[in-house]
Amino acid sequence: MNKACLFNISGWISIAVSLGLTFFLSSSAIAAMPPQSSFDHLPPKALPMQTIVQKLRHADTFLVGRRGPELTAFMDPNCIWCHRFYEKAMPLVRAGKLHLRVALVGFLKPTSAAKAAAILAARHPAQALAFNETHFNVIAEEGGIRPDYHAPLSIRRAVSDNTHLLAQTGEEATPTLLYYTKAKRWHLQHGLGLHGLHNILATIA
């Protein structure tokens, strides 16, 4: 039963009450009413951390940098927060203090998946990502790379799989970061958090 239907029922009740009429609602009509909920939809159920880690090992990702502890980042090419994360991370990558593994996703804008495919299909994905970020339009929140709507099916499927895996972390948000800590535990967080990369560098193994 839709909202319009519910309004009609409640409207008739109000009219009946105002006219001093007795209004009876059958048990079948009451049973047909949907339960009220404050949520339009439930958030995705998160997979166990170890399952996320295992799935990432088989995902289509690429590395940025050559030294330092590894940090995996789920990134959307049109994500302003991913762009800011990238700007903060790259000096650490260049200094050999961080090794970035990128899992590209595409869901924020209509061009996101095609831009992710363009980066992933490039001969050097790390360079394609760098182009996307150095030409990022901050005002429009648009990555600078041209979307590739005709990328190979395997590439488009990889972006789709990465996006689905991101949702399975419990929240479809970017950047989502995953890293192994000095306490020998995997840690996953959505966004940079209050202390940003400083907190990550202090705990990452």
Side-chain angles (χ1 to χ4, degrees):
M1 184 178 292
N2 58 30
K3 292 182 179 179
C5 186
L6 288 174
F7 173 79
N8 289 340
I9 291 174
S10 60
W12 279 112
I13 292 174
S14 299
I15 293 172
V17 171
S18 64
L19 292 177
L21 300 175
T22 303
F23 188 90
F24 294 99
L25 202 58
S26 69
S27 59
S28 60
I30 294 174
M33 290 185 178
Q36 298 300 303
S37 172
S38 58
F39 298 96
D40 291 331
H41 61 275
L42 294 175
K45 183 178 180 180
L47 291 177
M49 182 71 69
Q50 198 58 42
T51 303
I52 296 292
V53 173
Q54 290 294 336
K55 284 179 172 286
L56 263 173
R57 288 172 179 165
H58 300 286
D60 201 335
T61 62
F62 61 90
L63 292 169
V64 180
R66 297 181 179 179
R67 293 178 297 164
E70 186 174 302
L71 170 67
T72 297
F74 289 87
M75 298 175 62
D76 185 302
N78 289 322
C79 171
I80 183 65
W81 297 106
C82 296
H83 173 65
R84 291 172 180 171
F85 160 76
Y86 183 86
E87 288 187 321
K88 293 179 183 296
M90 284 312 295
L92 298 171
V93 171
R94 296 188 189 101
K97 296 180 179 180
L98 195 64
H99 199 190
L100 193 62
R101 179 175 295 278
V102 179
L104 288 174
V105 301
F107 67 95
L108 282 175
K109 293 191 175 185
T111 60
S112 288
K115 287 183 178 181
I119 296 170
L120 205 54
R123 179 174 296 181
H124 301 290
Q127 293 180 12
L129 177 64
F131 180 91
N132 183 75
E133 301 305 324
T134 55
H135 294 82
F136 197 95
N137 186 327
V138 175
I139 296 175
E141 297 189 12
E142 292 276 356
I145 200 164
R146 181 177 296 178
D148 185 357
Y149 295 102
H150 304 288
L153 178 60
S154 59
I155 296 294
R156 287 179 280 151
R157 184 173 294 159
V159 173
S160 177
D161 289 345
N162 286 350
T163 306
H164 183 61
L165 180 57
L166 170 62
Q168 291 177 322
T169 66
E171 187 176 341
E172 201 169 49
T174 48
T176 285
L177 310 176
L178 176 70
Y179 56 93
Y180 196 66
T181 69
K182 295 175 182 177
K184 298 182 179 181
R185 295 180 61 184
W186 286 100
H187 180 76
L188 185 142
Q189 67 183 56
H190 299 102
L192 270 177
L194 294 177
H195 303 289
L197 286 174
H198 296 289
N199 185 56
I200 292 175
L201 287 178
T203 60
I204 194 170

